[in-house]
Amino acid sequence: MKIKEGFKLRTVMGSSVIIAEGISQMNFNKLVSLNESAALMWRKAEGRDFNADDLAQALMDEYEIDADTARADADAVLAKWIEIGLVEQ
Amino acid sequence: MDTTMTHREFFSVAGHIFAVRDCDASKVWRRVHPAYEPFACDDAGSPALEVDIHVGPIDLEGLECMIDPDASIDGVPVNILPHTDASGALVIAVTQPGLDSPAAMVRLTDDFVRASIVVDERTSPSRPAWMVAASFTSAMQIAYMAATATADTLMSHASCVAWQGRAYLFIARSGTGKSTQSRMWLENIPGTELLNDDHPIVRIVDGVPTAFGSPWSGKTPCYKAMQAPIGGIARIVRAKHNRMVRQSPIGAYASLTASFSGLTFVPSQAEGRHRALEGLVSSVPCYELECLPDAEAARVCNQVISNSE
């Protein structure tokens, strides 16, 4: 899957947020706050095709966690992104 | 050669100078001209923006609309329709709810320092002169906004009062009571002055977020070449009580993005807007004002906002 066109990761006073800037997202009037690990996964996913394994790998590269925990975290965040409409299959 | 072809007028809004050349003796430009007069300034060698005004039909033939022309946001039809022409230049058509076709369009250069506005001045019972003028005004605002977006400048959708040397901005969804909050201040808080009722300009001047009057003030003729550092911003939310709650920086940023326009589909414009918005939320207290349309709301707002620094 990939991140839909028009979403941008920005830093507002040290916090990571996703905002809609593209013309195809003009009806997306929300701002999505990301914690540190979600922001890490977003950067991994930006501008390419990705899946939950890629996100889990990004977490394992950065933090000392096991594969199952990383995969569970990645699945949870990805499910949220799909629910909000940030990514497409 | 007709002298009107070369005659340029200069205006300074929020310290940005723009030149206007009325190429076809536009009736609409004459109609809205009084709003610009307080901002008239001397000839500037290289203005931040040069605007040419032409009169004629709006021809969108050969242009590609970047959005669904029937698109709506929260059920409200979109009246700003961005297009690209064959060379990739941005051409934005402006319509009004109820108009059968756009009454104005603005063509922008890549660097946003030149804008060419075409206004279709024909009127009819279903196409009143004020709607045509409003479309033209939107085109002028877009040109100004695009030219200044990378210079720490934001076009707001707000009502703004000045009180004790500071500016206070009220933002809200259309029809929720921005102007009412300003009126309540004018009627109940001595020393309040209306700075602008619809589109004050916000500019970060040497690190200080500052509100400026503009020629764009909605239905209220309030065109003042004045400025004041911003003391606070309140988002108005209708409620059955009066209460003022400080927003977190992220909450404030989210709230402001809805009330500060930008051509954010252009990366440089999005970048400029983000920088200015972050500058704003990092130094100006932002609130949500849950309120009734009454005098008490203005007093609560005034008390909290003036004690927040």
Side-chain angles (χ1 to χ4, degrees), chain B residues 208-261:
Chain B
V208 181
T210 307
F212 292 79
S214 81
W216 310 295
S217 190
K219 295 188 185 79
T220 311
C222 177
Y223 314 114
K224 295 180 186 165
M226 66 179 280
Q227 68 184 79
I230 301 172
I233 301 175
R235 170 164 292 278
I236 311 293
V237 180
R238 280 274 161 264
K240 296 215 156 54
H241 55 261
N242 292 314
R243 190 173 62 155
M244 189 93 157
V245 186
R246 180 100 182 231
Q247 294 172 319
S248 68
I250 299 289
Y253 185 96
S255 162
L256 295 184
T257 54
S259 296
F260 288 81
S261 334

Side-chain angles (χ1 to χ4, degrees), chain A residues 10-11 13 21 23 27 31, chain B residues 67 72-73 264 271 274 278:
Chain A
R10 291 211 177 268
T11 309
M13 295 178 73
E21 291 184 343
I23 207 152
N27 256 315
L31 182 145
Chain B
I67 61 171
S72 63
I73 296 177
T264 56
E271 211 61 49
H274 167 68
E278 197 183 22

Side-chain angles (χ1 to χ4, degrees), chain B residues 264-281:
Chain B
T264 56
F265 51 87
V266 179
S268 62
Q269 296 269 309
E271 211 61 49
R273 185 177 82 136
H274 167 68
R275 212 173 43 235
L277 281 176
E278 197 183 22
L280 200 50
V281 299

Side-chain angles (χ1 to χ4, degrees), chain B residues 86-103:
Chain B
S87 73
L90 192 56
V91 182
I92 299 173
V94 185
T95 182
Q96 296 287 316
L99 273 188
D100 51 0
S101 65

Side-chain angles (χ1 to χ4, degrees), chain B residues 135-168:
Chain B
S135 303
F136 170 81
T137 294
S138 294
M140 282 291 276
Q141 286 181 253
I142 290 166
Y144 176 88
M145 182 180 78
T148 60
T150 52
D152 290 327
T153 304
L154 295 160
M155 171 77 65
S156 76
H157 185 203
S159 184
C160 180
V161 295
W163 179 73
Q164 295 192 349
R166 302 219 165 236
Y168 297 96

Side-chain angles (χ1 to χ4, degrees), chain A residues 43-84:
Chain A
R43 282 190 204 95
K44 183 79 178 181
E46 262 176 340
R48 44 134 70 200
D49 270 313
F50 72 95
N51 57 35
D53 288 334
D54 299 326
L55 302 186
Q57 189 58 51
L59 290 177
M60 286 191 291
D61 291 346
E62 185 72 18
Y63 307 106
E64 286 187 14
I65 54 172
D66 61 68
D68 288 347
T69 309
R71 181 59 201 250
D73 285 358
D75 281 343
V77 165
L78 192 51
K80 195 72 192 169
W81 289 352
I82 292 167
E83 181 196 327
I84 306 171

